Amino acid sequence: MSSRDILILSDIVEAARGAGAEDKELSLTASRQQLARSALLRRSMKVKIRQWNGVASWLWVANDENCGICRMHFNGCCPDCKVPGDDCPLVWGQCSHCFHMHCILKWLNSQQVQQQCPMCRQEWKFKE
Ligand SMILES: [Zn+2]
Ligand SMILES: [Zn+2]
Ligand SMILES: [Zn+2]
């Protein structure tokens, strides 16, 4: 914010303070005009970015939204875990189905004969 902007803003504050109940409407329109003017000024100003605070969030990239085994959302964790993220990773099979690692491991361990994808019944192979 430039000193010019601050001046304009303080004008608006002064106008708002000075305005009684009866001419509130009037002063509101006036400050709106002043705001528009200051917006115009701002548009013509050159801005230098001195500081930048990045905010990052993560999402798993999966072709499905929910784990086909536990039916929990991929951005959450499997029922055995409490904290989603690296501690409860997702794994992909060569059939391109995706599950929580804990869920597919549990599933594969429960399979007696052949290890199959629980979604498409193809032989399960972890995708590299
Ligand atoms: Zn799961
Ligand atoms: Zn887990
Ligand atoms: Zn599959």
Side-chain angles (χ1 to χ4, degrees):
M1 205 187 271
S2 74
S3 53
R4 216 167 175 185
D5 270 12
I6 292 166
L7 269 175
I8 291 165
L9 279 177
S10 66
D11 274 2
I12 294 169
V13 171
E14 282 303 306
R17 247 190 229 142
E22 64 282 346
D23 55 3
K24 212 173 192 173
E25 199 61 44
L26 222 138
S27 76
L28 267 178
T29 10
S31 48
R32 218 171 283 144
Q33 276 170 357
Q34 278 170 313
L35 269 177
R37 217 181 300 144
S38 75
L40 266 174
L41 282 172
R42 210 171 296 143
R43 208 175 300 156
S44 58
M45 283 189 305
K46 282 194 176 152
V47 177
K48 256 188 201 156
I49 296 170
R50 297 225 174 93
Q51 208 188 351
W52 184 77
N53 294 317
V55 177
S57 65
W58 59 266
L59 283 177
W60 290 114
V61 180
N63 24 7
D64 215 342
E65 296 230 308
N66 299 300
C67 171
I69 299 172
C70 68
R71 294 278 157 204
M72 298 294 277
H73 204 274
F74 278 137
N75 293 316
C77 51
C78 80
D80 293 338
C81 292
K82 286 195 170 63
V83 191
D86 290 338
D87 288 340
C88 187
L90 303 186
V91 286
W92 279 260
Q94 267 168 18
C95 60
S96 86
H97 283 120
C98 176
F99 306 98
H100 294 113
M101 185 182 76
H102 299 140
C103 293
I104 191 69
L105 288 180
K106 231 198 283 175
W107 163 262
L108 293 175
N109 284 332
S110 73
Q111 296 291 291
Q112 307 294 318
V113 216
Q114 204 193 351
Q115 306 214 307
Q116 296 170 329
C117 169
M119 298 297 276
C120 63
R121 304 277 161 188
Q122 282 181 58
E123 191 189 346
W124 179 267
K125 282 198 181 96
F126 286 99
K127 204 168 175 178
E128 297 300 308

